[in-house]
Amino acid sequence: MSDVSAASPTGMTPGAIDPHVVDRFEQPVDGKMDILGLDRAELKTALIEAGVPEKQANMRTQQIWSWVYHHGVTSFDEMKNVSKDVKAKLAERFRISRPTVVDAQYSEDGTRKYLVKFADGNEAETVYIPDDDRGTLCISSQVGCTLNCRFCHTGTQKLVRNLTANEIVAQMMIARDDLEEWDQSSHGRKVTNIVLMGMGEPLYNFDNVKKAMHILMDEQGIQMSRRRITLSTSGVVPMMQKCGDEIGVNLAVSLHATNNDIRDEIVPLNKKYKMEQLLEACAKYPGAHNARRITFEYTMLKDVNDKDEHAKELINLIKKYKLPAKVNLIPFNPWPGTPYECSEWDQIKRFSDIVFQAGISAPIRMPRGRDIMAACGQLKSESQKIRKSELLRQQKAAAESGEVVVGAD
Ligand code: SAH
Ligand code: SF4
């Protein structure tokens, strides 16, 4: 175990919180290098190291990149325009793998939730949410989260590790596999947007998130536009400018409160980075302007942050810092053992109306995929429950037959 200051490329510790991140899992078991997670320059270098003549390196890189990111192939055999002996050489050194999808659930409303198991056995979730005019993929950046926001179930998970760039890119790949989205022109795309709003705090895993986003944005590959990617942070202030400068994606900030007293209580990171610092960093966020506003996420917690006066305080803050902002009101998703309740529907509407009347957009984000528990802060909890009960069933059956079953966790 190491603390986040050692494990995180940012070298920061989040103040009053005492995070522990398990060591990063790096190498695949078979010793081969996974193509997913390499950027194009790294792939070229790796090919040269593997014996591809330098003269051919650009061409081979382009061919492989296209097979991987346009056609979604997972074996070198499928690369039709690559000669047999080169394919054999590649297969000796490299792999194009996918993590295992241990569970895929489809909601009646089209939402799809994938429980993804990585090579070291850790798991995270990825959710696809289709809408009329778009399809959004919600990607995880860590297994668990060190930050313990009081209303979020992810924060209660003990185990935390950063996902590698490979594992972040792989979430897009498994979604496109499942949606049969390969070989499509950008016109017929199903995943049109990415939000880094799954498990984990993306700005505590900056380098891997940055690399993964650049791979997904690569002009010769999937070509996601940076304008269609949104990174959500709970407020890691010193990394926000860097995020804008080096990744250049849209920013969402988990605000959830209108003053430090409330925010200290529900988002403990606020004890380290106060709201004033956070809002100043938002005002300076590179590329933020009216056509490209910052999103404030605001989870509606009954009698905590949902009163009319909070709505007014929120308006004042947005005006005071002259923020090009919109607010997403998220009805709280309760989970077993939580001390909070979701605000009354009428109060959520009132709150939204008050903010709208001040000229600030404040839509209510309707929960999607409720039937498959695909909502914020609930990722992984239900599937763990199901699998634990399945394990118990197996243990019981095994006890009856005299076998031994090893625990899944
Ligand atoms: N860690 C990042 C991104 C992931 S969470 C962050 O905190 O910004 C995506 C959003 O869902 C965040 O705004 C988060 O605060 C919110 N959220 C977490 N648990 C929730 C719950 N139980 N109900 C409603 N929203 C929740
Ligand atoms: Fe972590 Fe975000 Fe959950 Fe807070 S809301 S515990 S930062 S995942």
Side-chain angles (χ1 to χ4, degrees):
M1 299 278 277
S2 56
D3 76 10
V4 83
S5 58
S8 148
T10 68
M12 288 176 306
T13 47
I17 304 104
D18 183 25
H20 286 275
V21 179
V22 296
D23 288 335
R24 261 169 52 181
F25 167 76
E26 285 288 358
Q27 274 308 308
V29 267
D30 62 4
K32 291 184 187 175
M33 186 183 275
D34 204 319
I35 302 264
L36 293 190
L38 298 181
D39 59 31
R40 226 165 355 110
E42 286 173 332
L43 176 60
K44 182 179 164 190
T45 310
L47 291 179
I48 293 170
E49 279 167 12
V52 170
E54 283 215 48
K55 278 196 300 202
Q56 290 180 18
N58 276 338
M59 182 257 296
R60 293 282 179 229
T61 304
Q62 213 167 341
Q63 284 176 329
I64 296 171
W65 198 259
S66 172
W67 282 112
V68 172
Y69 293 109
H70 292 154
H71 305 286
V73 306
T74 52
S75 85
F76 295 100
D77 269 353
E78 296 167 76
M79 299 184 173
K80 294 193 193 99
N81 55 357
V82 180
S83 70
K84 238 184 173 170
D85 47 324
V86 174
K87 282 197 272 207
K89 211 187 280 177
L90 292 172
E92 264 170 37
R93 288 260 197 145
F94 301 101
R95 43 160 49 218
I96 314 159
S97 65
R98 299 283 193 264
T100 318
V101 178
V102 278
D103 191 19
Q105 293 184 39
Y106 297 174
S107 163
E108 285 169 359
D109 69 12
T111 302
R112 297 183 178 198
K113 182 173 81 165
Y114 310 103
L115 178 63
V116 182
K117 187 174 191 156
F118 302 108
D120 68 345
N122 271 308
E123 292 170 354
E125 279 195 352
T126 309
V127 180
Y128 172 71
I129 308 150
D131 263 310
D132 294 344
D133 58 341
R134 65 177 66 188
T136 305
L137 192 68
C138 178
I139 288 184
S140 294
S141 57
Q142 297 183 310
V143 171
C145 184
T146 51
L147 288 177
N148 290 311
C149 300
R150 297 284 173 254
F151 52 87
C152 173
H153 197 262
T154 305
T156 64
Q157 261 176 253
K158 280 205 199 87
L159 185 69
V160 180
R161 96 166 157 76
N162 285 335
L163 294 183
T164 60
N166 164 289
E167 293 163 335
I168 297 169
V169 170
Q171 294 176 62
M172 176 71 156
M173 306 304 269
I174 55 123
R176 294 191 99 192
D177 290 345
D178 186 52
L179 294 162
E180 298 180 1
E181 209 195 339
W182 298 113
D183 301 305
Q184 300 267 344
S185 67
S186 57
H187 202 61
R189 286 242 172 138
K190 293 185 182 150
V191 179
T192 59
N193 294 58
I194 289 178
V195 292
L196 282 151
M197 291 187 186
M199 298 167 69
E201 168 49 59
L203 293 187
Y204 275 152
N205 187 15
F206 185 83
D207 287 354
N208 291 322
V209 166
K210 174 182 165 184
K211 190 171 180 198
M213 292 307 113
H214 281 290
I215 292 169
L216 296 178
M217 292 189 284
D218 189 286
E219 64 201 14
Q220 289 183 22
I222 292 180
Q223 271 185 304
M224 285 296 304
S225 155
R226 64 188 67 238
R227 288 170 196 285
R228 288 180 172 270
I229 301 178
T230 302
L231 181 148
S232 173
T233 179
S234 55
V236 185
V237 169
M239 298 305 289
M240 285 165 58
Q241 169 93 28
K242 201 169 151 71
C243 172
D245 287 340
E246 296 180 22
I247 317 183
V249 292
N250 302 321
L251 187 70
V253 172
S254 295
L255 196 64
H256 307 309
T258 51
N259 58 54
N260 282 315
D261 285 347
I262 303 177
R263 199 158 190 272
D264 279 352
E265 168 71 28
I266 59 180
V267 182
L269 183 65
N270 197 68
K271 293 182 186 150
K272 171 101 177 171
Y273 305 120
K274 294 287 165 200
M275 281 185 67
E276 295 74 18
Q277 290 170 274
L278 177 60
L279 296 172
E280 259 161 43
C282 288
K284 289 192 200 132
Y285 187 72
H289 45 70
N290 271 338
R292 207 174 168 214
R293 288 170 294 172
I294 290 176
T295 305
F296 286 124
E297 292 158 282
Y298 198 99
T299 297
M300 297 298 288
L301 303 168
K302 188 176 179 186
D303 298 331
V304 176
N305 62 0
D306 65 344
K307 303 264 181 265
D308 295 2
E309 63 257 30
H310 296 132
K312 289 174 194 151
E313 229 177 341
L314 181 61
I315 297 164
N316 290 341
L317 283 176
I318 291 175
K319 296 210 159 147
K320 180 173 167 199
Y321 287 87
K322 299 193 176 61
L323 296 167
K326 59 182 174 201
V327 180
N328 267 353
L329 299 175
I330 314 173
F332 171 62
N333 263 300
W335 35 273
T338 175
Y340 299 110
E341 280 175 65
C342 183
S343 307
E344 302 292 341
W345 178 249
D346 282 354
Q347 186 53 31
I348 302 180
K349 276 243 356 95
R350 264 179 80 82
F351 196 106
S352 168
D353 289 345
I354 295 172
V355 181
F356 261 118
Q357 274 154 24
I360 300 162
S361 161
I364 303 167
R365 208 160 86 186
M366 296 306 291
R368 298 288 305 272
R370 271 237 151 130
D371 51 338
I372 56 168
M373 310 274 289
C376 308
Q378 284 183 332
L379 299 186
K380 229 174 109 181
S381 50
E382 185 65 8
S383 46
Q384 271 180 347
K385 234 184 311 172
I386 292 166
R387 290 180 325 121
K388 265 198 191 121
S389 62
E390 171 62 8
L391 183 71
L392 282 176
R393 193 194 59 71
Q394 283 177 19
Q395 280 169 336
K396 198 161 159 250
E400 279 160 13
S401 70
E403 266 179 67
V404 179
V405 174
V406 183
D409 287 336

PDB file of all heavy atoms in Angstrom, residues 205-223:
ATOM      1  N   ASN A 205      -5.810  10.897 -11.083  1.00  0.00           N
ATOM      2  CA  ASN A 205      -5.186   9.910 -11.977  1.00  0.00           C
ATOM      3  C   ASN A 205      -4.893  10.617 -13.294  1.00  0.00           C
ATOM      4  O   ASN A 205      -5.191  10.124 -14.377  1.00  0.00           O
ATOM      5  CB  ASN A 205      -6.145   8.722 -12.171  1.00  0.00           C
ATOM      6  CG  ASN A 205      -5.511   7.585 -12.933  1.00  0.00           C
ATOM      7  OD1 ASN A 205      -4.281   7.538 -13.092  1.00  0.00           O
ATOM      8  ND2 ASN A 205      -6.326   6.665 -13.429  1.00  0.00           N
ATOM      9  N   PHE A 206      -4.302  11.799 -13.166  1.00  0.00           N
ATOM     10  CA  PHE A 206      -4.210  12.717 -14.298  1.00  0.00           C
ATOM     11  C   PHE A 206      -3.493  12.127 -15.506  1.00  0.00           C
ATOM     12  O   PHE A 206      -4.004  12.162 -16.626  1.00  0.00           O
ATOM     13  CB  PHE A 206      -3.523  14.016 -13.855  1.00  0.00           C
ATOM     14  CG  PHE A 206      -3.512  15.054 -14.942  1.00  0.00           C
ATOM     15  CD1 PHE A 206      -4.610  15.866 -15.146  1.00  0.00           C
ATOM     16  CD2 PHE A 206      -2.421  15.200 -15.784  1.00  0.00           C
ATOM     17  CE1 PHE A 206      -4.630  16.810 -16.155  1.00  0.00           C
ATOM     18  CE2 PHE A 206      -2.432  16.136 -16.805  1.00  0.00           C
ATOM     19  CZ  PHE A 206      -3.535  16.946 -16.991  1.00  0.00           C
ATOM     20  N   ASP A 207      -2.292  11.581 -15.294  1.00  0.00           N
ATOM     21  CA  ASP A 207      -1.487  11.147 -16.439  1.00  0.00           C
ATOM     22  C   ASP A 207      -2.186  10.055 -17.254  1.00  0.00           C
ATOM     23  O   ASP A 207      -2.167  10.082 -18.486  1.00  0.00           O
ATOM     24  CB  ASP A 207      -0.119  10.640 -15.979  1.00  0.00           C
ATOM     25  CG  ASP A 207       0.780  11.789 -15.534  1.00  0.00           C
ATOM     26  OD1 ASP A 207       0.378  12.961 -15.695  1.00  0.00           O
ATOM     27  OD2 ASP A 207       1.871  11.525 -15.002  1.00  0.00           O
ATOM     28  N   ASN A 208      -2.780   9.095 -16.535  1.00  0.00           N
ATOM     29  CA  ASN A 208      -3.446   8.004 -17.261  1.00  0.00           C
ATOM     30  C   ASN A 208      -4.708   8.486 -17.977  1.00  0.00           C
ATOM     31  O   ASN A 208      -5.002   8.067 -19.095  1.00  0.00           O
ATOM     32  CB  ASN A 208      -3.807   6.866 -16.300  1.00  0.00           C
ATOM     33  CG  ASN A 208      -2.564   6.159 -15.800  1.00  0.00           C
ATOM     34  OD1 ASN A 208      -1.623   5.966 -16.555  1.00  0.00           O
ATOM     35  ND2 ASN A 208      -2.543   5.788 -14.527  1.00  0.00           N
ATOM     36  N   VAL A 209      -5.447   9.375 -17.315  1.00  0.00           N
ATOM     37  CA  VAL A 209      -6.659   9.916 -17.934  1.00  0.00           C
ATOM     38  C   VAL A 209      -6.285  10.741 -19.162  1.00  0.00           C
ATOM     39  O   VAL A 209      -6.877  10.617 -20.235  1.00  0.00           O
ATOM     40  CB  VAL A 209      -7.454  10.770 -16.913  1.00  0.00           C
ATOM     41  CG1 VAL A 209      -8.520  11.617 -17.603  1.00  0.00           C
ATOM     42  CG2 VAL A 209      -8.094   9.863 -15.860  1.00  0.00           C
ATOM     43  N   LYS A 210      -5.251  11.548 -19.019  1.00  0.00           N
ATOM     44  CA  LYS A 210      -4.813  12.386 -20.136  1.00  0.00           C
ATOM     45  C   LYS A 210      -4.415  11.518 -21.336  1.00  0.00           C
ATOM     46  O   LYS A 210      -4.847  11.746 -22.461  1.00  0.00           O
ATOM     47  CB  LYS A 210      -3.622  13.240 -19.671  1.00  0.00           C
ATOM     48  CG  LYS A 210      -2.974  14.040 -20.769  1.00  0.00           C
ATOM     49  CD  LYS A 210      -1.779  14.823 -20.247  1.00  0.00           C
ATOM     50  CE  LYS A 210      -0.925  15.307 -21.401  1.00  0.00           C
ATOM     51  NZ  LYS A 210       0.287  15.993 -20.958  1.00  0.00           N
ATOM     52  N   LYS A 211      -3.612  10.519 -21.042  1.00  0.00           N
ATOM     53  CA  LYS A 211      -3.137   9.672 -22.139  1.00  0.00           C
ATOM     54  C   LYS A 211      -4.317   8.958 -22.817  1.00  0.00           C
ATOM     55  O   LYS A 211      -4.423   8.930 -24.047  1.00  0.00           O
ATOM     56  CB  LYS A 211      -2.152   8.650 -21.578  1.00  0.00           C
ATOM     57  CG  LYS A 211      -1.433   7.893 -22.641  1.00  0.00           C
ATOM     58  CD  LYS A 211      -0.340   7.067 -22.009  1.00  0.00           C
ATOM     59  CE  LYS A 211       0.407   6.305 -23.068  1.00  0.00           C
ATOM     60  NZ  LYS A 211       1.163   5.205 -22.494  1.00  0.00           N
ATOM     61  N   ALA A 212      -5.210   8.419 -21.989  1.00  0.00           N
ATOM     62  CA  ALA A 212      -6.362   7.691 -22.550  1.00  0.00           C
ATOM     63  C   ALA A 212      -7.223   8.619 -23.408  1.00  0.00           C
ATOM     64  O   ALA A 212      -7.662   8.245 -24.501  1.00  0.00           O
ATOM     65  CB  ALA A 212      -7.189   7.073 -21.429  1.00  0.00           C
ATOM     66  N   MET A 213      -7.448   9.842 -22.937  1.00  0.00           N
ATOM     67  CA  MET A 213      -8.286  10.757 -23.717  1.00  0.00           C
ATOM     68  C   MET A 213      -7.598  11.125 -25.034  1.00  0.00           C
ATOM     69  O   MET A 213      -8.235  11.226 -26.071  1.00  0.00           O
ATOM     70  CB  MET A 213      -8.622  12.026 -22.914  1.00  0.00           C
ATOM     71  CG  MET A 213      -9.530  11.779 -21.723  1.00  0.00           C
ATOM     72  SD  MET A 213     -11.059  10.892 -22.154  1.00  0.00           S
ATOM     73  CE  MET A 213     -10.817   9.333 -21.322  1.00  0.00           C
ATOM     74  N   HIS A 214      -6.282  11.300 -24.990  1.00  0.00           N
ATOM     75  CA  HIS A 214      -5.585  11.617 -26.238  1.00  0.00           C
ATOM     76  C   HIS A 214      -5.650  10.449 -27.220  1.00  0.00           C
ATOM     77  O   HIS A 214      -5.743  10.666 -28.430  1.00  0.00           O
ATOM     78  CB  HIS A 214      -4.143  12.059 -25.964  1.00  0.00           C
ATOM     79  CG  HIS A 214      -4.089  13.495 -25.501  1.00  0.00           C
ATOM     80  ND1 HIS A 214      -4.369  14.536 -26.359  1.00  0.00           N
ATOM     81  CD2 HIS A 214      -3.860  14.053 -24.299  1.00  0.00           C
ATOM     82  CE1 HIS A 214      -4.294  15.682 -25.687  1.00  0.00           C
ATOM     83  NE2 HIS A 214      -3.984  15.416 -24.431  1.00  0.00           N
ATOM     84  N   ILE A 215      -5.606   9.237 -26.710  1.00  0.00           N
ATOM     85  CA  ILE A 215      -5.740   8.076 -27.603  1.00  0.00           C
ATOM     86  C   ILE A 215      -7.150   8.071 -28.227  1.00  0.00           C
ATOM     87  O   ILE A 215      -7.307   7.876 -29.427  1.00  0.00           O
ATOM     88  CB  ILE A 215      -5.450   6.761 -26.837  1.00  0.00           C
ATOM     89  CG1 ILE A 215      -3.967   6.711 -26.450  1.00  0.00           C
ATOM     90  CG2 ILE A 215      -5.865   5.543 -27.651  1.00  0.00           C
ATOM     91  CD1 ILE A 215      -3.585   5.614 -25.477  1.00  0.00           C
ATOM     92  N   LEU A 216      -8.155   8.344 -27.418  1.00  0.00           N
ATOM     93  CA  LEU A 216      -9.522   8.329 -27.956  1.00  0.00           C
ATOM     94  C   LEU A 216      -9.793   9.518 -28.891  1.00  0.00           C
ATOM     95  O   LEU A 216     -10.670   9.463 -29.739  1.00  0.00           O
ATOM     96  CB  LEU A 216     -10.549   8.292 -26.813  1.00  0.00           C
ATOM     97  CG  LEU A 216     -10.513   7.022 -25.944  1.00  0.00           C
ATOM     98  CD1 LEU A 216     -11.529   7.101 -24.812  1.00  0.00           C
ATOM     99  CD2 LEU A 216     -10.777   5.773 -26.782  1.00  0.00           C
ATOM    100  N   MET A 217      -9.019  10.599 -28.698  1.00  0.00           N
ATOM    101  CA  MET A 217      -9.212  11.775 -29.561  1.00  0.00           C
ATOM    102  C   MET A 217      -8.339  11.707 -30.819  1.00  0.00           C
ATOM    103  O   MET A 217      -8.489  12.534 -31.707  1.00  0.00           O
ATOM    104  CB  MET A 217      -8.851  13.064 -28.792  1.00  0.00           C
ATOM    105  CG  MET A 217      -9.821  13.391 -27.658  1.00  0.00           C
ATOM    106  SD  MET A 217      -9.553  15.037 -26.924  1.00  0.00           S
ATOM    107  CE  MET A 217      -8.121  14.827 -25.918  1.00  0.00           C
ATOM    108  N   ASP A 218      -7.415  10.759 -30.862  1.00  0.00           N
ATOM    109  CA  ASP A 218      -6.434  10.722 -31.952  1.00  0.00           C
ATOM    110  C   ASP A 218      -7.106  10.834 -33.321  1.00  0.00           C
ATOM    111  O   ASP A 218      -8.068  10.123 -33.632  1.00  0.00           O
ATOM    112  CB  ASP A 218      -5.630   9.412 -31.872  1.00  0.00           C
ATOM    113  CG  ASP A 218      -4.462   9.412 -32.825  1.00  0.00           C
ATOM    114  OD1 ASP A 218      -4.690   9.258 -34.053  1.00  0.00           O
ATOM    115  OD2 ASP A 218      -3.325   9.580 -32.358  1.00  0.00           O
ATOM    116  N   GLU A 219      -6.540  11.723 -34.135  1.00  0.00           N
ATOM    117  CA  GLU A 219      -7.176  12.024 -35.429  1.00  0.00           C
ATOM    118  C   GLU A 219      -7.180  10.846 -36.392  1.00  0.00           C
ATOM    119  O   GLU A 219      -7.978  10.799 -37.322  1.00  0.00           O
ATOM    120  CB  GLU A 219      -6.478  13.225 -36.077  1.00  0.00           C
ATOM    121  CG  GLU A 219      -5.035  12.905 -36.397  1.00  0.00           C
ATOM    122  CD  GLU A 219      -4.152  14.139 -36.565  1.00  0.00           C
ATOM    123  OE1 GLU A 219      -4.580  15.236 -36.174  1.00  0.00           O
ATOM    124  OE2 GLU A 219      -3.039  13.976 -37.077  1.00  0.00           O
ATOM    125  N   GLN A 220      -6.275   9.879 -36.169  1.00  0.00           N
ATOM    126  CA  GLN A 220      -6.283   8.707 -37.057  1.00  0.00           C
ATOM    127  C   GLN A 220      -7.032   7.532 -36.445  1.00  0.00           C
ATOM    128  O   GLN A 220      -7.033   6.435 -36.988  1.00  0.00           O
ATOM    129  CB  GLN A 220      -4.854   8.297 -37.384  1.00  0.00           C
ATOM    130  CG  GLN A 220      -4.191   9.294 -38.306  1.00  0.00           C
ATOM    131  CD  GLN A 220      -2.789   8.868 -38.693  1.00  0.00           C
ATOM    132  OE1 GLN A 220      -2.427   7.701 -38.625  1.00  0.00           O
ATOM    133  NE2 GLN A 220      -1.987   9.834 -39.095  1.00  0.00           N
ATOM    134  N   GLY A 221      -7.629   7.762 -35.281  1.00  0.00           N
ATOM    135  CA  GLY A 221      -8.313   6.663 -34.608  1.00  0.00           C
ATOM    136  C   GLY A 221      -9.789   6.961 -34.420  1.00  0.00           C
ATOM    137  O   GLY A 221     -10.490   7.301 -35.373  1.00  0.00           O
ATOM    138  N   ILE A 222     -10.234   6.891 -33.176  1.00  0.00           N
ATOM    139  CA  ILE A 222     -11.666   7.051 -32.909  1.00  0.00           C
ATOM    140  C   ILE A 222     -12.113   8.507 -33.090  1.00  0.00           C
ATOM    141  O   ILE A 222     -13.275   8.776 -33.360  1.00  0.00           O
ATOM    142  CB  ILE A 222     -11.993   6.507 -31.499  1.00  0.00           C
ATOM    143  CG1 ILE A 222     -11.815   4.980 -31.507  1.00  0.00           C
ATOM    144  CG2 ILE A 222     -13.408   6.867 -31.073  1.00  0.00           C
ATOM    145  CD1 ILE A 222     -12.104   4.284 -30.204  1.00  0.00           C
ATOM    146  N   GLN A 223     -11.175   9.426 -32.927  1.00  0.00           N
ATOM    147  CA  GLN A 223     -11.458  10.836 -33.224  1.00  0.00           C
ATOM    148  C   GLN A 223     -12.590  11.439 -32.411  1.00  0.00           C
ATOM    149  O   GLN A 223     -13.425  12.165 -32.949  1.00  0.00           O
ATOM    150  CB  GLN A 223     -11.840  10.975 -34.698  1.00  0.00           C
ATOM    151  CG  GLN A 223     -10.670  11.206 -35.596  1.00  0.00           C
ATOM    152  CD  GLN A 223     -11.132  11.463 -37.027  1.00  0.00           C
ATOM    153  OE1 GLN A 223     -11.846  10.652 -37.603  1.00  0.00           O
ATOM    154  NE2 GLN A 223     -10.724  12.581 -37.585  1.00  0.00           N
TER     155      GLN A 223
END
